């Protein structure tokens, strides 16, 4: 049996007619950049994310970049984030000339640990603390970081909060939606995300009138009015085609999320029955609701051997992420070393993501668990 990590063709089959209709309309109009399709999506996403505004941008990475720019973060500034995330989280901080400061994760959720965040801040000198401008928590795998203590720390030390919600559209934390809790929320429409475009795309959310205006200006090279520049922005525009496709897919998102959550529940049952507790630790659902952009399990022993065995059995898996950011070669000048963030390092060498996409069948899930059982037998 073949069980790919993700099968977007299955999803496309169900929405093909609608998508082809709208792409034809856009091709006929020859209107490609920003415009009414992007504005419509912005309204829909703002509403979906319980935010006042949404501003469509060119990718999730650019969402992070423009968020940092809009908050005036730049050279000499420090931004505190997690070392266990996709590269863009910290890459965007360095690209605007600021410096990422890492805090280890809570091993039960893989998200930044508020306790460790607090102790890091307490350990900073007065001079260093003055340079810290923002906290950048990531809602990894589709589960929100523990935002209440994070927001308290931000208020206490007067810091901005940027949520990297690239994996978490629709995820909730105590009734609030991902991207609506900090100053700016950043989302990605990369095709493999749970709400993916047919190319690159992203969006930022905010409740602030001023930030909304600033983000819109920065998105077009800081131009306002046209060809007059009070600030330096970039080309961070979303195109009509991607916006229209995401609009169509957004209507199905809750249904797909429900299917992902249902698949997670089925995995829990299957793993329980297979009695693999000595080998496999399942994800902890600490926040309601987890949207399972990924279903990531902790493999206590022989992770890489298991992964190879599953691959030979036709099962796709992935490691998100094999090298924590503090150990990436390009960040050598940040002067971190192995052992600095043990929870992130452990996760990087012990976790794998299993297929969880909405169209996955029960037989496929049973086969995945059966093969894992066979490996440890
Ligand atoms: C995917 C992702 C991004 C970047 O989004 P792109 O659209 O690929 O640029 C940023 N942060 C996290 C956590 C992501 O998963």
């Amino acid at each position: 049996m073949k069980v790919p990590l993700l099968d977007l063709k299955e999803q496309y089959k169900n929405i093909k007619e609608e998508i082809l209709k709208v792409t034809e309309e856009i091709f006929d109009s020859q209107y490609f950049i920003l415009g009414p399709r992007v504005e419509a999506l912005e309204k829909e996403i703002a509403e979906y994310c319980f935010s006042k505004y949404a501003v469509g941008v060119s990718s999730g990475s650019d969402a992070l970049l423009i968020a940092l720019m809009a908050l005036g973060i730049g050279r000499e500034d420090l931004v505190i984030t997690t070392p266990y995330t996709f590269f863009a989280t910290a890459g965007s901080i360095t690209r605007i000339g600021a410096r990422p400061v890492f805090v280890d994760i809570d091993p039960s959720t893989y998200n930044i640990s508020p306790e460790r965040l607090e102790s890091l801040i307490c350990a900073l000198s007065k001079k260093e603390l003055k340079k810290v401008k923002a906290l950048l928590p990531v809602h990894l795998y589709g589960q929100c970081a523990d935002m209440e203590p994070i927001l308290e720390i931000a208020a206490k030390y007067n810091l901005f909060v940027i949520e990297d919600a690239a994996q978490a559209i629709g995820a909730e934390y105590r009734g609030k939606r991902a991207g609506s809790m900090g100053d700016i929320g950043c989302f990605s429409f990369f095709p493999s995300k749970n709400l993916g475009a047919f190319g690159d795309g992203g969006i930022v959310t905010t409740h602030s009138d001023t930030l909304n205006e600033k983000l819109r200006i920065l998105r077009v090279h800081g131009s306002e009015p046209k060809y007059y520049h009070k600030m330096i922005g970039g080309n961070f525009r979303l195109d009509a085609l991607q916006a229209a496709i995401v609009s169509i897919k957004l209507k199905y998102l809750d249904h797909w999320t429900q299917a992902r959550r249902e698949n997670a529940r089925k995995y829990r049952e299957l793993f329980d029955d297979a009695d693999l507790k000595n080998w496999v630790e399942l994800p902890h659902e600490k926040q309601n609701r987890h949207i399972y952009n990924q279903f990531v399990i902790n493999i206590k022993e022989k992770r890489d051997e298991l992964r190879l065995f599953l691959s030979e059995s036709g099962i796709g898996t992935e490691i998100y992420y094999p090298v924590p950011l503090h150990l990436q070669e390009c960040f050598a000048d940040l002067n971190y070393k192995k052992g600095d963030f043990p929870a992130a390092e452990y996760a990087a060498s012990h976790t794998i993501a299993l297929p969880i996409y909405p169209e996955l069948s029960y037989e496929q899930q049973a086969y995945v668990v059966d093969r894992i059982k066979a490996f440890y037998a």
Side-chain angles (χ1 to χ4, degrees):
M1 193 186 291
K2 281 259 180 282
V3 192
L5 181 67
L6 177 64
D7 185 357
L8 287 169
K9 287 183 185 159
E10 276 302 312
Q11 185 190 70
Y12 181 51
K13 268 192 212 157
N14 302 320
I15 52 174
K16 189 168 176 173
E17 307 275 302
E18 272 179 280
I19 302 253
L20 289 180
K21 184 169 167 283
V22 79
T23 47
E24 187 174 12
E25 283 168 20
I26 291 168
F27 288 172
D28 285 341
S29 78
Q30 289 293 299
Y31 192 119
F32 295 116
I33 307 289
L34 297 175
R37 304 267 182 193
V38 172
E39 284 161 27
L41 177 70
E42 290 174 342
K43 283 212 180 73
E44 292 157 14
I45 294 279
E47 193 177 316
Y48 187 80
C49 294
F50 303 171
S51 257
K52 191 163 174 194
Y53 302 106
V55 181
V57 294
S58 29
S59 70
S61 305
D62 286 343
L64 290 161
L65 209 54
I66 202 173
L68 290 158
M69 291 168 80
L71 294 172
I73 294 163
R75 225 168 283 169
E76 306 288 308
D77 293 339
L78 303 178
V79 177
I80 303 178
T81 191
T82 161
Y84 190 60
T85 173
F86 179 60
F87 178 76
T89 311
S92 62
I93 298 169
T94 40
R95 275 189 62 196
I96 54 138
R99 191 183 163 96
V101 178
F102 296 119
V103 166
D104 208 358
I105 54 170
D106 171 348
S108 71
T109 60
Y110 307 110
N111 282 323
I112 193 166
S113 153
E115 291 78 26
R116 288 173 194 281
L117 172 62
E118 176 99 66
S119 26
L120 169 98
I121 289 184
C122 292
L124 291 176
S125 70
K126 255 208 170 119
K127 198 171 144 222
E128 284 171 315
L129 187 56
K130 259 184 101 170
K131 291 186 185 173
V132 179
K133 293 289 148 62
L135 306 178
L136 209 176
V138 179
H139 306 313
L140 202 69
Y141 306 147
Q143 173 161 240
C144 286
D146 192 2
M147 290 302 289
E148 216 157 84
I150 293 172
L151 291 167
E152 272 169 30
I153 293 169
K156 186 167 160 193
Y157 296 97
N158 201 17
L159 307 172
F160 294 118
V161 176
I162 301 169
E163 297 174 68
D164 184 341
Q167 301 183 5
I169 191 162
E172 289 181 13
Y173 176 89
R174 300 180 191 172
K176 300 212 163 108
R177 287 245 159 120
S180 72
M181 294 174 272
D183 295 280
I184 302 183
C186 301
F187 297 88
S188 164
F189 300 136
F190 186 76
S192 69
K193 303 284 156 102
N194 62 338
L195 180 63
F198 284 16
D200 277 310
I203 208 159
V204 289
T205 50
T206 185
H207 296 295
S208 152
D209 300 351
T210 355
L211 284 175
N212 172 53
E213 270 168 43
K214 201 164 174 195
L215 288 160
R216 285 171 193 283
I217 297 171
L218 285 168
R219 174 172 70 173
V220 289
H221 292 287
S223 167
E224 172 61 25
K226 205 173 184 185
Y227 304 131
Y228 290 79
H229 300 259
K230 282 199 204 99
M231 46 184 146
I232 301 169
N235 173 359
F236 299 126
R237 298 179 300 238
L238 181 64
D239 64 76
L241 213 48
Q242 301 308 336
I245 289 166
V246 173
S247 270
I248 290 172
K249 289 176 96 177
L250 182 62
K251 293 186 293 179
Y252 300 93
L253 184 59
D254 281 332
H255 172 71
W256 291 332
T257 297
Q258 207 40 50
R260 284 175 182 273
R261 290 182 48 77
E262 189 57 22
N263 290 347
R265 195 190 58 74
K266 287 179 202 153
Y267 268 137
R268 289 184 196 282
E269 273 179 19
L270 288 162
F271 274 105
D272 250 8
D273 292 345
D275 199 18
L276 283 162
K277 278 193 194 64
N278 290 335
W279 307 104
V280 177
E281 186 187 348
L282 299 182
H284 297 272
E285 216 177 283
K286 291 271 177 85
Q287 309 306 344
N288 190 8
R289 68 182 183 162
H290 192 323
I291 55 130
Y292 291 101
N293 195 52
Q294 284 99 358
F295 189 85
V296 173
I297 59 177
N298 169 14
I299 302 296
K300 294 177 188 173
E301 274 172 48
K302 303 196 175 137
R303 190 261 319 252
D304 295 335
E305 293 89 330
L306 171 67
R307 196 166 174 235
L308 188 64
F309 176 82
L310 292 177
S311 161
E312 284 163 356
S313 312
I315 298 168
T317 62
E318 187 53 276
I319 298 171
Y320 301 111
Y321 297 90
V323 183
L325 298 185
H326 67 290
L327 300 178
Q328 293 287 353
E329 214 177 310
C330 67
F331 289 142
D333 62 343
L334 297 177
N335 286 319
Y336 289 107
K337 58 183 187 310
K338 211 169 169 167
D340 281 347
F341 306 111
E345 289 166 30
Y346 177 92
S349 55
H350 288 80
T351 57
I352 57 170
L354 299 180
I356 184 84
Y357 61 91
E359 298 80 8
L360 196 68
S361 73
Y362 184 76
E363 291 66 37
Q364 286 174 308
Q365 288 193 274
Y367 177 67
V368 171
V369 177
D370 176 73
R371 289 295 84 200
I372 296 175
K373 194 175 170 78
F375 176 78
Y376 287 112

